[in-house]
Amino acid sequence: MAPPRKHDTDVILDAARTLVLAEGPRAASVAAIADASGAPVGTLYHRFGNRNRVLAAAWLRALERFQDRVKAAAGEPDPLDAGVAMARAAIGFGRDLPEDARLLLSLRPSDLLDGSPDAEFGARLAGMNAPLIEHLRRIAAGLFGRDGDREVDAVSRAIVDLPYAALRRHAHASELPEWLERDVTGAARTLLESYRTA
């Protein structure tokens, strides 16, 4: 007799993401996720505890994949080059992992979960966001000579908001236009260069 199959966490989270994107958050019950992933219901409860934790894990995994790319791109020493690379990485994420991008673009955690996200989720999210905020501060300081709220907001418009809006516009296309990285990074560069001369 073959040993019982160990169900990969990614398979379970992929199934949850697919259900949410295809049929909405209410369709992603533990039973439906178990059926779609082939994992026993007991495995889901043992590994995650409840439905909220499965869906939170799927959303946070998508965010982590996005942030890993953007943080890696932020390593450019020149602040302008770092900002442009971060914008490019955001579009690359949407191209390479479109289902994760759709999940982040379409739904907030409060849309997914029964009730508000718990304190553990909030703490994890804050911890994940902190390094990106530090990169934005470093870029603002490098371009403006200071990293106040207004300066960080300005670089965020170029590095975060512009790629986000472009991805959102094309989120339901079968694939992103081949020119999107070039156009978005060109626009981000123009904005960031204007800050350097401000």
Side-chain angles (χ1 to χ4, degrees):
M1 179 186 255
R5 181 179 163 208
K6 182 178 186 293
H7 292 276
D8 186 274
T9 298
D10 280 332
V11 172
I12 294 168
L13 298 183
D14 287 349
R17 181 190 62 201
T18 298
L19 282 166
V20 167
L21 292 175
E23 302 176 44
R26 296 301 84 164
S29 65
V30 169
I33 296 167
D35 185 56
S37 67
V41 169
T43 296
L44 270 71
Y45 281 115
H46 176 73
R47 194 167 298 173
F48 297 99
N50 58 41
R51 172 191 176 278
N52 269 9
R53 289 186 181 269
V54 179
L55 297 183
W59 195 89
L60 288 169
R61 181 188 65 165
L63 182 64
E64 184 173 42
R65 288 172 170 177
F66 166 76
Q67 289 188 345
D68 284 349
R69 287 172 174 242
V70 175
K71 286 186 294 189
E76 293 282 345
D78 179 79
L80 191 149
D81 290 342
V84 171
M86 290 169 75
R88 183 180 297 110
I91 301 298
F93 165 78
R95 184 178 301 286
D96 297 339
L97 298 167
E99 295 85 6
D100 280 340
R102 282 187 205 109
L103 187 65
L104 294 179
L105 291 164
S106 304
L107 297 158
R108 298 165 300 181
S110 58
D111 299 324
L112 284 173
L113 308 180
D114 296 323
S116 298
D118 61 19
E120 180 184 338
F121 180 94
R124 178 151 181 221
L125 185 58
M128 290 172 72
N129 287 336
L132 280 181
I133 293 167
E134 284 309 306
H135 286 301
L136 294 173
R137 287 196 176 285
R138 176 181 71 84
I139 292 167
L143 295 176
F144 286 102
R146 56 195 178 278
D147 65 349
D149 290 345
R150 184 174 184 180
E151 292 75 27
V152 172
D153 193 72
V155 298
S156 296
R157 287 193 296 272
I159 297 169
V160 179
D161 297 347
L162 181 60
Y164 178 90
L167 285 173
R168 190 176 181 102
R169 175 186 299 274
H170 298 285
H172 297 288
S174 57
E175 61 181 48
L176 295 180
E178 57 86 18
W179 40 259
L180 195 60
E181 283 93 340
R182 184 172 61 252
D183 284 8
V184 169
T185 56
R189 182 175 292 279
T190 298
L191 271 175
L192 293 171
E193 283 175 341
S194 75
Y195 301 155
R196 183 170 260 171
T197 58

